[in-house]
Amino acid sequence: MDTSTSTENAESKQFRVKAGLFLAAVSGASAVFGFGATVIAAKKRDPKYFGKGFMPSRELPETGAILAMKALGWGTLYAFTGCGVLFYAIWKLSGAHSFAEFRSKMGEALPRIPKNDPAQGRTEFSGMNDLLQYLQDQKGQKDNK
């Protein structure tokens, strides 16, 4: 085996790991930020009942945190079960016995995406305005035809 090929494979794997960690970090940070912003907005909207949500009382037998955890648990269960049933049904309806067979059957059933090789038109833009101007020009050319 060529050492340059193994080095490229190792670099590619390392890049994928770094990219995955970056995406996980960004997703986690955005989730924490979104949750925090929602909690702050709820506290500003009604501070009296927000404070009551942390302590069980006669009016509210369960705290808001317990209700939120229950809702998260049930929502997760429904999401995983629903998606699992849907994906399993698609798998069984396709009649495939392996992933390779499923992939080939779905490739035949779904429409083909044409390759853009070599690229037709521009692929690099200096900014959003440049992209929008290009799209507007392309639409104008199609309308004139």
Side-chain angles (χ1 to χ4, degrees):
M1 181 174 203
D2 189 15
T3 57
S4 64
T5 306
S6 63
T7 305
E8 289 173 6
N9 287 342
E11 288 176 1
S12 175
K13 192 173 192 178
Q14 186 179 18
F15 174 77
R16 281 197 235 141
V17 168
K18 286 180 181 178
L21 289 174
F22 174 76
L23 288 175
V26 168
S27 300
S30 64
V32 168
F33 176 76
F35 182 76
T38 304
V39 169
I40 289 170
K43 186 175 183 179
K44 283 183 181 178
R45 188 176 307 141
D46 201 353
K48 177 184 169 191
Y49 283 108
F50 183 82
K52 284 186 176 183
F54 288 111
M55 305 284 270
S57 66
R58 287 186 186 159
E59 299 159 5
L60 302 171
E62 292 182 332
T63 66
I66 291 173
L67 289 173
M69 290 302 293
K70 282 184 179 179
L72 180 64
W74 283 107
T76 303
L77 177 71
Y78 290 152
F80 273 92
T81 304
C83 288
V85 167
L86 176 68
F87 300 152
Y88 184 74
I90 291 170
W91 175 277
K92 285 301 178 184
L93 288 173
S94 73
H97 298 290
S98 68
F99 181 72
E101 187 180 347
F102 178 75
R103 184 173 180 219
S104 68
K105 286 187 178 204
M106 288 297 109
E108 293 168 4
L110 297 173
R112 296 242 182 254
I113 299 172
K115 294 195 187 261
N116 192 15
D117 192 26
Q120 314 260 322
R122 290 179 56 188
T123 58
E124 299 287 329
F125 300 96
S126 62
M128 188 59 106
N129 288 337
D130 190 23
L131 170 64
L132 293 174
Q133 184 63 46
Y134 173 74
L135 293 174
Q136 187 176 14
D137 294 342
Q138 291 294 318
K139 184 174 182 340
Q141 288 177 1
K142 285 183 181 178
D143 290 344
N144 290 336
K145 289 183 180 180

mmCIF file of all heavy atoms in Angstrom, residues 11-51:
data_model
loop_
_atom_site.group_PDB
_atom_site.id
_atom_site.type_symbol
_atom_site.label_atom_id
_atom_site.label_comp_id
_atom_site.label_asym_id
_atom_site.label_seq_id
_atom_site.Cartn_x
_atom_site.Cartn_y
_atom_site.Cartn_z
ATOM 1 N N GLU A 11 -5.633 11.726 7.016
ATOM 2 C CA GLU A 11 -5.975 13.152 7.063
ATOM 3 C C GLU A 11 -7.458 13.354 6.801
ATOM 4 O O GLU A 11 -8.102 14.188 7.433
ATOM 5 C CB GLU A 11 -5.138 13.928 6.039
ATOM 6 C CG GLU A 11 -3.687 14.075 6.428
ATOM 7 C CD GLU A 11 -2.869 14.763 5.351
ATOM 8 O OE1 GLU A 11 -3.443 15.132 4.308
ATOM 9 O OE2 GLU A 11 -1.663 14.927 5.569
ATOM 10 N N SER A 12 -8.016 12.583 5.862
ATOM 11 C CA SER A 12 -9.441 12.697 5.554
ATOM 12 C C SER A 12 -10.281 12.286 6.758
ATOM 13 O O SER A 12 -11.267 12.950 7.082
ATOM 14 C CB SER A 12 -9.786 11.818 4.352
ATOM 15 O OG SER A 12 -11.158 11.815 4.119
ATOM 16 N N LYS A 13 -9.887 11.213 7.418
ATOM 17 C CA LYS A 13 -10.616 10.747 8.597
ATOM 18 C C LYS A 13 -10.510 11.772 9.727
ATOM 19 O O LYS A 13 -11.500 12.069 10.385
ATOM 20 C CB LYS A 13 -10.052 9.398 9.042
ATOM 21 C CG LYS A 13 -10.892 8.690 10.048
ATOM 22 C CD LYS A 13 -10.360 7.300 10.304
ATOM 23 C CE LYS A 13 -11.348 6.490 11.093
ATOM 24 N NZ LYS A 13 -10.876 5.129 11.321
ATOM 25 N N GLN A 14 -9.319 12.330 9.904
ATOM 26 C CA GLN A 14 -9.121 13.335 10.940
ATOM 27 C C GLN A 14 -9.960 14.577 10.633
ATOM 28 O O GLN A 14 -10.561 15.157 11.531
ATOM 29 C CB GLN A 14 -7.647 13.704 11.034
ATOM 30 C CG GLN A 14 -7.311 14.637 12.168
ATOM 31 C CD GLN A 14 -5.826 14.944 12.218
ATOM 32 O OE1 GLN A 14 -5.102 14.747 11.250
ATOM 33 N NE2 GLN A 14 -5.370 15.435 13.355
ATOM 34 N N PHE A 15 -10.014 14.968 9.362
ATOM 35 C CA PHE A 15 -10.825 16.119 8.969
ATOM 36 C C PHE A 15 -12.295 15.859 9.259
ATOM 37 O O PHE A 15 -13.000 16.733 9.761
ATOM 38 C CB PHE A 15 -10.626 16.433 7.482
ATOM 39 C CG PHE A 15 -11.534 17.517 6.984
ATOM 40 C CD1 PHE A 15 -11.268 18.842 7.274
ATOM 41 C CD2 PHE A 15 -12.656 17.204 6.236
ATOM 42 C CE1 PHE A 15 -12.104 19.843 6.821
ATOM 43 C CE2 PHE A 15 -13.498 18.196 5.777
ATOM 44 C CZ PHE A 15 -13.217 19.526 6.079
ATOM 45 N N ARG A 16 -12.781 14.658 8.946
ATOM 46 C CA ARG A 16 -14.189 14.328 9.200
ATOM 47 C C ARG A 16 -14.511 14.353 10.685
ATOM 48 O O ARG A 16 -15.581 14.815 11.091
ATOM 49 C CB ARG A 16 -14.533 12.959 8.607
ATOM 50 C CG ARG A 16 -14.769 13.026 7.135
ATOM 51 C CD ARG A 16 -15.501 11.795 6.668
ATOM 52 N NE ARG A 16 -14.711 11.189 5.615
ATOM 53 C CZ ARG A 16 -14.532 9.914 5.422
ATOM 54 N NH1 ARG A 16 -15.111 9.056 6.215
ATOM 55 N NH2 ARG A 16 -13.800 9.471 4.453
ATOM 56 N N VAL A 17 -13.598 13.875 11.499
ATOM 57 C CA VAL A 17 -13.808 13.893 12.952
ATOM 58 C C VAL A 17 -13.877 15.335 13.445
ATOM 59 O O VAL A 17 -14.768 15.700 14.216
ATOM 60 C CB VAL A 17 -12.695 13.108 13.683
ATOM 61 C CG1 VAL A 17 -12.724 13.362 15.172
ATOM 62 C CG2 VAL A 17 -12.824 11.619 13.390
ATOM 63 N N LYS A 18 -12.934 16.167 12.983
ATOM 64 C CA LYS A 18 -12.941 17.573 13.379
ATOM 65 C C LYS A 18 -14.208 18.269 12.905
ATOM 66 O O LYS A 18 -14.804 19.061 13.640
ATOM 67 C CB LYS A 18 -11.716 18.284 12.825
ATOM 68 C CG LYS A 18 -10.437 17.941 13.536
ATOM 69 C CD LYS A 18 -9.267 18.693 12.934
ATOM 70 C CE LYS A 18 -7.970 18.352 13.620
ATOM 71 N NZ LYS A 18 -6.824 19.052 13.011
ATOM 72 N N ALA A 19 -14.633 17.985 11.675
ATOM 73 C CA ALA A 19 -15.852 18.600 11.144
ATOM 74 C C ALA A 19 -17.071 18.159 11.945
ATOM 75 O O ALA A 19 -17.945 18.968 12.266
ATOM 76 C CB ALA A 19 -16.027 18.244 9.672
ATOM 77 N N GLY A 20 -17.135 16.888 12.288
ATOM 78 C CA GLY A 20 -18.247 16.383 13.097
ATOM 79 C C GLY A 20 -18.277 17.008 14.473
ATOM 80 O O GLY A 20 -19.348 17.374 14.979
ATOM 81 N N LEU A 21 -17.116 17.145 15.105
ATOM 82 C CA LEU A 21 -17.052 17.785 16.417
ATOM 83 C C LEU A 21 -17.463 19.250 16.334
ATOM 84 O O LEU A 21 -18.168 19.758 17.206
ATOM 85 C CB LEU A 21 -15.641 17.669 17.003
ATOM 86 C CG LEU A 21 -15.222 16.268 17.447
ATOM 87 C CD1 LEU A 21 -13.752 16.246 17.862
ATOM 88 C CD2 LEU A 21 -16.099 15.803 18.596
ATOM 89 N N PHE A 22 -17.029 19.923 15.274
ATOM 90 C CA PHE A 22 -17.415 21.325 15.093
ATOM 91 C C PHE A 22 -18.925 21.453 14.948
ATOM 92 O O PHE A 22 -19.551 22.294 15.596
ATOM 93 C CB PHE A 22 -16.706 21.912 13.874
ATOM 94 C CG PHE A 22 -17.167 23.294 13.535
ATOM 95 C CD1 PHE A 22 -16.757 24.382 14.292
ATOM 96 C CD2 PHE A 22 -18.021 23.521 12.467
ATOM 97 C CE1 PHE A 22 -17.188 25.660 14.001
ATOM 98 C CE2 PHE A 22 -18.454 24.791 12.154
ATOM 99 C CZ PHE A 22 -18.032 25.870 12.920
ATOM 100 N N LEU A 23 -19.526 20.623 14.103
ATOM 101 C CA LEU A 23 -20.972 20.684 13.913
ATOM 102 C C LEU A 23 -21.725 20.348 15.196
ATOM 103 O O LEU A 23 -22.743 20.970 15.512
ATOM 104 C CB LEU A 23 -21.400 19.748 12.784
ATOM 105 C CG LEU A 23 -21.018 20.196 11.379
ATOM 106 C CD1 LEU A 23 -21.384 19.125 10.364
ATOM 107 C CD2 LEU A 23 -21.688 21.503 11.028
ATOM 108 N N ALA A 24 -21.227 19.365 15.937
ATOM 109 C CA ALA A 24 -21.866 19.016 17.209
ATOM 110 C C ALA A 24 -21.756 20.171 18.204
ATOM 111 O O ALA A 24 -22.720 20.473 18.911
ATOM 112 C CB ALA A 24 -21.222 17.757 17.790
ATOM 113 N N ALA A 25 -20.622 20.837 18.242
ATOM 114 C CA ALA A 25 -20.440 21.960 19.155
ATOM 115 C C ALA A 25 -21.355 23.129 18.785
ATOM 116 O O ALA A 25 -21.985 23.740 19.654
ATOM 117 C CB ALA A 25 -18.979 22.417 19.161
ATOM 118 N N VAL A 26 -21.436 23.431 17.497
ATOM 119 C CA VAL A 26 -22.301 24.524 17.054
ATOM 120 C C VAL A 26 -23.766 24.188 17.335
ATOM 121 O O VAL A 26 -24.529 25.032 17.822
ATOM 122 C CB VAL A 26 -22.077 24.824 15.555
ATOM 123 C CG1 VAL A 26 -23.144 25.745 15.010
ATOM 124 C CG2 VAL A 26 -20.697 25.421 15.342
ATOM 125 N N SER A 27 -24.167 22.957 17.060
ATOM 126 C CA SER A 27 -25.547 22.542 17.322
ATOM 127 C C SER A 27 -25.862 22.601 18.811
ATOM 128 O O SER A 27 -26.923 23.079 19.215
ATOM 129 C CB SER A 27 -25.790 21.124 16.807
ATOM 130 O OG SER A 27 -25.573 21.061 15.427
ATOM 131 N N GLY A 28 -24.961 22.110 19.625
ATOM 132 C CA GLY A 28 -25.170 22.132 21.067
ATOM 133 C C GLY A 28 -25.251 23.552 21.606
ATOM 134 O O GLY A 28 -26.119 23.870 22.426
ATOM 135 N N ALA A 29 -24.343 24.411 21.132
ATOM 136 C CA ALA A 29 -24.360 25.798 21.587
ATOM 137 C C ALA A 29 -25.651 26.492 21.176
ATOM 138 O O ALA A 29 -26.240 27.243 21.963
ATOM 139 C CB ALA A 29 -23.150 26.552 21.040
ATOM 140 N N SER A 30 -26.110 26.248 19.963
ATOM 141 C CA SER A 30 -27.353 26.889 19.515
ATOM 142 C C SER A 30 -28.552 26.351 20.293
ATOM 143 O O SER A 30 -29.477 27.107 20.607
ATOM 144 C CB SER A 30 -27.557 26.706 18.016
ATOM 145 O OG SER A 30 -27.721 25.353 17.696
ATOM 146 N N ALA A 31 -28.551 25.073 20.634
ATOM 147 C CA ALA A 31 -29.647 24.507 21.418
ATOM 148 C C ALA A 31 -29.667 25.117 22.822
ATOM 149 O O ALA A 31 -30.731 25.487 23.334
ATOM 150 C CB ALA A 31 -29.517 22.988 21.503
ATOM 151 N N VAL A 32 -28.502 25.226 23.443
ATOM 152 C CA VAL A 32 -28.426 25.820 24.778
ATOM 153 C C VAL A 32 -28.855 27.284 24.725
ATOM 154 O O VAL A 32 -29.610 27.760 25.580
ATOM 155 C CB VAL A 32 -26.996 25.680 25.361
ATOM 156 C CG1 VAL A 32 -26.801 26.543 26.600
ATOM 157 C CG2 VAL A 32 -26.707 24.223 25.678
ATOM 158 N N PHE A 33 -28.381 28.015 23.713
ATOM 159 C CA PHE A 33 -28.764 29.420 23.565
ATOM 160 C C PHE A 33 -30.270 29.557 23.350
ATOM 161 O O PHE A 33 -30.912 30.404 23.965
ATOM 162 C CB PHE A 33 -28.002 30.051 22.396
ATOM 163 C CG PHE A 33 -28.410 31.468 22.128
ATOM 164 C CD1 PHE A 33 -27.974 32.491 22.947
ATOM 165 C CD2 PHE A 33 -29.240 31.771 21.070
ATOM 166 C CE1 PHE A 33 -28.358 33.801 22.712
ATOM 167 C CE2 PHE A 33 -29.630 33.072 20.821
ATOM 168 C CZ PHE A 33 -29.188 34.097 21.639
ATOM 169 N N GLY A 34 -30.845 28.725 22.484
ATOM 170 C CA GLY A 34 -32.283 28.785 22.218
ATOM 171 C C GLY A 34 -33.104 28.462 23.457
ATOM 172 O O GLY A 34 -34.092 29.135 23.749
ATOM 173 N N PHE A 35 -32.700 27.444 24.196
ATOM 174 C CA PHE A 35 -33.412 27.080 25.421
ATOM 175 C C PHE A 35 -33.313 28.202 26.447
ATOM 176 O O PHE A 35 -34.302 28.580 27.082
ATOM 177 C CB PHE A 35 -32.864 25.774 25.986
ATOM 178 C CG PHE A 35 -33.577 25.321 27.229
ATOM 179 C CD1 PHE A 35 -34.830 24.755 27.147
ATOM 180 C CD2 PHE A 35 -32.993 25.474 28.478
ATOM 181 C CE1 PHE A 35 -35.508 24.338 28.295
ATOM 182 C CE2 PHE A 35 -33.648 25.059 29.621
ATOM 183 C CZ PHE A 35 -34.910 24.494 29.527
ATOM 184 N N GLY A 36 -32.116 28.750 26.607
ATOM 185 C CA GLY A 36 -31.930 29.843 27.561
ATOM 186 C C GLY A 36 -32.756 31.067 27.194
ATOM 187 O O GLY A 36 -33.362 31.702 28.063
ATOM 188 N N ALA A 37 -32.783 31.398 25.910
ATOM 189 C CA ALA A 37 -33.578 32.549 25.466
ATOM 190 C C ALA A 37 -35.063 32.316 25.725
ATOM 191 O O ALA A 37 -35.789 33.240 26.118
ATOM 192 C CB ALA A 37 -33.327 32.812 23.985
ATOM 193 N N THR A 38 -35.530 31.102 25.532
ATOM 194 C CA THR A 38 -36.931 30.784 25.784
ATOM 195 C C THR A 38 -37.263 30.889 27.271
ATOM 196 O O THR A 38 -38.312 31.428 27.642
ATOM 197 C CB THR A 38 -37.255 29.368 25.273
ATOM 198 O OG1 THR A 38 -36.913 29.294 23.894
ATOM 199 C CG2 THR A 38 -38.713 29.025 25.455
ATOM 200 N N VAL A 39 -36.385 30.402 28.118
ATOM 201 C CA VAL A 39 -36.611 30.489 29.566
ATOM 202 C C VAL A 39 -36.633 31.947 30.015
ATOM 203 O O VAL A 39 -37.497 32.357 30.799
ATOM 204 C CB VAL A 39 -35.538 29.682 30.334
ATOM 205 C CG1 VAL A 39 -35.581 29.979 31.822
ATOM 206 C CG2 VAL A 39 -35.726 28.195 30.085
ATOM 207 N N ILE A 40 -35.713 32.747 29.501
ATOM 208 C CA ILE A 40 -35.672 34.167 29.873
ATOM 209 C C ILE A 40 -36.942 34.876 29.401
ATOM 210 O O ILE A 40 -37.522 35.682 30.137
ATOM 211 C CB ILE A 40 -34.404 34.830 29.293
ATOM 212 C CG1 ILE A 40 -33.173 34.316 30.040
ATOM 213 C CG2 ILE A 40 -34.487 36.345 29.381
ATOM 214 C CD1 ILE A 40 -31.858 34.708 29.415
ATOM 215 N N ALA A 41 -37.396 34.563 28.193
ATOM 216 C CA ALA A 41 -38.625 35.184 27.679
ATOM 217 C C ALA A 41 -39.827 34.778 28.530
ATOM 218 O O ALA A 41 -40.692 35.613 28.825
ATOM 219 C CB ALA A 41 -38.842 34.787 26.226
ATOM 220 N N ALA A 42 -39.888 33.526 28.940
ATOM 221 C CA ALA A 42 -41.004 33.071 29.786
ATOM 222 C C ALA A 42 -40.962 33.759 31.147
ATOM 223 O O ALA A 42 -41.995 34.139 31.695
ATOM 224 C CB ALA A 42 -40.945 31.559 29.956
ATOM 225 N N LYS A 43 -39.765 33.952 31.687
ATOM 226 C CA LYS A 43 -39.632 34.612 32.993
ATOM 227 C C LYS A 43 -40.054 36.072 32.897
ATOM 228 O O LYS A 43 -40.716 36.589 33.798
ATOM 229 C CB LYS A 43 -38.192 34.506 33.480
ATOM 230 C CG LYS A 43 -38.003 35.033 34.882
ATOM 231 C CD LYS A 43 -36.590 34.787 35.362
ATOM 232 C CE LYS A 43 -36.437 35.260 36.792
ATOM 233 N NZ LYS A 43 -35.099 35.008 37.299
ATOM 234 N N LYS A 44 -39.699 36.739 31.803
ATOM 235 C CA LYS A 44 -40.087 38.141 31.632
ATOM 236 C C LYS A 44 -41.590 38.284 31.427
ATOM 237 O O LYS A 44 -42.187 39.241 31.881
ATOM 238 C CB LYS A 44 -39.351 38.749 30.438
ATOM 239 C CG LYS A 44 -37.927 39.103 30.725
ATOM 240 C CD LYS A 44 -37.284 39.760 29.525
ATOM 241 C CE LYS A 44 -35.842 40.100 29.802
ATOM 242 N NZ LYS A 44 -35.202 40.697 28.625
ATOM 243 N N ARG A 45 -42.182 37.332 30.724
ATOM 244 C CA ARG A 45 -43.613 37.425 30.416
ATOM 245 C C ARG A 45 -44.472 37.292 31.667
ATOM 246 O O ARG A 45 -45.438 38.024 31.847
ATOM 247 C CB ARG A 45 -43.998 36.343 29.405
ATOM 248 C CG ARG A 45 -45.433 36.513 28.908
ATOM 249 C CD ARG A 45 -45.836 35.540 27.844
ATOM 250 N NE ARG A 45 -44.904 35.541 26.740
ATOM 251 C CZ ARG A 45 -44.525 34.452 26.081
ATOM 252 N NH1 ARG A 45 -45.010 33.283 26.437
ATOM 253 N NH2 ARG A 45 -43.680 34.518 25.093
ATOM 254 N N ASP A 46 -44.159 36.330 32.526
ATOM 255 C CA ASP A 46 -44.983 36.107 33.710
ATOM 256 C C ASP A 46 -44.106 35.617 34.866
ATOM 257 O O ASP A 46 -44.043 34.412 35.143
ATOM 258 C CB ASP A 46 -46.077 35.095 33.393
ATOM 259 C CG ASP A 46 -47.244 35.177 34.351
ATOM 260 O OD1 ASP A 46 -47.151 35.934 35.338
ATOM 261 O OD2 ASP A 46 -48.248 34.495 34.099
ATOM 262 N N PRO A 47 -43.435 36.537 35.560
ATOM 263 C CA PRO A 47 -42.504 36.113 36.612
ATOM 264 C C PRO A 47 -43.182 35.409 37.784
ATOM 265 O O PRO A 47 -42.580 34.554 38.422
ATOM 266 C CB PRO A 47 -41.842 37.417 37.075
ATOM 267 C CG PRO A 47 -42.540 38.528 36.393
ATOM 268 C CD PRO A 47 -43.443 37.964 35.365
ATOM 269 N N LYS A 48 -44.441 35.735 38.074
ATOM 270 C CA LYS A 48 -45.144 35.112 39.200
ATOM 271 C C LYS A 48 -45.279 33.606 38.974
ATOM 272 O O LYS A 48 -44.899 32.798 39.820
ATOM 273 C CB LYS A 48 -46.514 35.760 39.373
ATOM 274 C CG LYS A 48 -47.352 35.141 40.456
ATOM 275 C CD LYS A 48 -48.725 35.790 40.481
ATOM 276 C CE LYS A 48 -49.656 35.002 41.379
ATOM 277 N NZ LYS A 48 -51.034 35.433 41.235
ATOM 278 N N TYR A 49 -45.825 33.229 37.828
ATOM 279 C CA TYR A 49 -46.021 31.802 37.557
ATOM 280 C C TYR A 49 -44.719 31.105 37.188
ATOM 281 O O TYR A 49 -44.582 29.903 37.380
ATOM 282 C CB TYR A 49 -47.066 31.601 36.460
ATOM 283 C CG TYR A 49 -48.460 31.805 36.981
ATOM 284 C CD1 TYR A 49 -49.195 32.924 36.625
ATOM 285 C CD2 TYR A 49 -49.034 30.896 37.855
ATOM 286 C CE1 TYR A 49 -50.462 33.133 37.126
ATOM 287 C CE2 TYR A 49 -50.298 31.091 38.370
ATOM 288 C CZ TYR A 49 -51.008 32.212 38.000
ATOM 289 O OH TYR A 49 -52.254 32.403 38.501
ATOM 290 N N PHE A 50 -43.756 31.846 36.693
ATOM 291 C CA PHE A 50 -42.452 31.242 36.406
ATOM 292 C C PHE A 50 -41.819 30.754 37.702
ATOM 293 O O PHE A 50 -41.298 29.652 37.769
ATOM 294 C CB PHE A 50 -41.531 32.258 35.717
ATOM 295 C CG PHE A 50 -40.205 31.676 35.335
ATOM 296 C CD1 PHE A 50 -40.076 30.948 34.175
ATOM 297 C CD2 PHE A 50 -39.093 31.848 36.145
ATOM 298 C CE1 PHE A 50 -38.856 30.406 33.814
ATOM 299 C CE2 PHE A 50 -37.875 31.309 35.801
ATOM 300 C CZ PHE A 50 -37.756 30.586 34.623
ATOM 301 N N GLY A 51 -41.887 31.566 38.757
ATOM 302 C CA GLY A 51 -41.350 31.167 40.062
ATOM 303 C C GLY A 51 -42.114 30.008 40.664
ATOM 304 O O GLY A 51 -41.539 29.142 41.323
#
